Amino acid sequence: MQSLLQAAPKMAGICLALVSIAIALRLLKRSIRNATQHITEKGYLPPAPSSLSQYLIIPPVQFLTWLIVGRLQIKGSRNLDLMPKDASYIVAPNHSHYADIFIMPLVLRHRKTRYMADSGVMESLWGLVGLVFAYFGTYTASLQAAVKLMSTGQNMVIFPEGWTYLDGKMGKCKSGAVTISKLAAKELKTNTYIVPVGISYRKYPGSWIRNYSIRLQYLILTAGIIFFRRGARVTVGEPIACSDLPEDDSLATEFVAGKIQALLTK
């Protein structure tokens, strides 16, 4: 009986600590939900990435690229300097690995560039992914928001295929990048540009991986990193002026897709 009485204060302290932790976690979850509520909404634009954020992102993505991909070769990066100094542009890479989001900052280096992400990506891990990405200027896919960005002289990365195609074959490109570029050009009354980029990995899982959900595909790719970590090559193509695109958006999208595809075979 005496030992129980002696242990009672300790037990009460433990219970109080557990209750405090539970309350703190609940408040943290609520704070995160409130903070991500607007970030994951279409049309919301987080602040433009700062120069500091552009420098801060390089070391972690460099490490993650080395860890997941291995040796990275970048060709044609000088093509990014062929556009007029104040030109607005969209960088349009193919999307054959989740590591593409780590590679692109290394290609663009310290150029202030935003990323358009699918709402499913921004809402991952209870919105924590969106919260982190928004710090670097990433926003949830929205035509109106993208046109607004380009019309104010900002640049962005858009993966025309949308989600990743881990079998190494390009998927059908969507017309978003072309439409945004054309609408922004009308607003600015000057040319905008699309820069095609081909990202080629030396080892892909194969077409069988398409039989699984995208999340399971990512898990398989990560679990099999020892088999798929064989390096990658990035080729930056010459900028395509909006005025050089076919008037029909479907034909223009096929034109851009063809340029990306050609870079994958170089």
Side-chain angles (χ1 to χ4, degrees):
M1 187 65 179
Q2 188 177 359
S3 60
L4 287 174
L5 290 173
Q6 290 176 346
K10 292 182 180 179
M11 293 298 293
I14 293 172
C15 289
L16 182 61
L18 291 174
V19 170
S20 300
I21 291 171
I23 292 172
L25 288 173
R26 188 175 181 85
L27 290 173
L28 179 61
K29 185 178 179 181
R30 183 180 299 175
S31 298
I32 292 172
R33 185 172 63 247
N34 291 337
T36 58
Q37 184 176 3
H38 295 301
I39 290 171
T40 55
E41 287 179 356
K42 289 186 177 181
Y44 171 76
L45 286 173
S50 64
S51 298
L52 177 62
S53 70
Q54 298 299 291
Y55 280 94
L56 288 176
I57 199 174
I58 295 300
V61 296
Q62 206 160 27
F63 171 73
L64 288 169
T65 299
W66 171 82
L67 181 68
I68 299 168
V69 178
R71 184 174 178 270
L72 179 65
Q73 181 185 9
I74 301 173
K75 298 170 59 180
S77 56
R78 290 184 179 180
N79 286 330
L80 291 165
D81 299 322
L82 295 180
M83 295 170 286
K85 186 177 180 181
D86 298 325
S88 293
Y89 58 86
I90 294 173
V91 179
N94 63 303
H95 205 3
S96 57
H97 200 299
Y98 65 79
D100 296 339
I101 62 171
F102 306 135
I103 286 176
M104 286 313 299
L106 299 177
V107 175
L108 298 170
R109 280 296 168 175
H110 306 306
R111 294 177 176 87
K112 289 186 180 180
T113 312
R114 288 182 181 259
Y115 291 76
M116 179 189 280
D118 186 89
S119 57
V121 174
M122 297 294 278
E123 293 168 2
S124 299
L125 296 177
W126 308 282
L128 282 173
V129 170
L131 198 61
V132 174
F133 281 12
Y135 175 72
F136 299 101
T138 304
Y139 63 99
T140 303
S142 165
L143 179 66
Q144 293 77 12
V147 173
K148 181 180 178 181
L149 284 176
M150 286 201 77
S151 300
T152 55
Q154 298 185 60
N155 310 309
M156 68 191 76
V157 174
I158 296 178
F159 295 98
E161 296 161 279
W163 283 92
T164 50
Y165 288 80
L166 302 181
D167 56 0
K169 297 178 182 178
M170 267 192 73
K172 183 176 176 61
C173 290
K174 300 176 182 179
S175 61
V178 165
T179 303
I180 292 163
S181 183
K182 288 183 175 181
L183 290 173
K186 287 181 180 179
E187 289 283 336
L188 291 167
K189 295 180 174 56
T190 187
N191 249 333
T192 55
Y193 296 81
I194 296 178
V195 183
V197 175
I199 306 176
S200 178
Y201 294 85
R202 300 191 186 282
K203 182 71 174 178
Y204 292 100
S207 58
W208 58 268
I209 202 168
R210 298 294 299 280
N211 296 322
Y212 304 96
S213 68
I214 191 67
R215 291 183 179 180
L216 189 53
Q217 289 181 42
Y218 286 179
L219 182 61
I220 292 170
L221 198 60
T222 304
I225 192 172
I226 190 172
F227 303 106
F228 305 123
R229 185 181 178 273
R230 295 291 185 270
R233 183 184 71 246
V234 181
T235 307
V236 181
E238 294 183 1
I240 305 166
C242 181
S243 58
D244 292 336
L245 292 171
E247 289 187 13
D248 183 80
D249 282 3
S250 296
L251 293 177
T253 301
E254 289 179 10
F255 179 79
V256 173
K259 292 290 185 179
I260 298 171
Q261 183 67 60
L263 295 172
L264 296 175
T265 56
K266 282 190 174 181

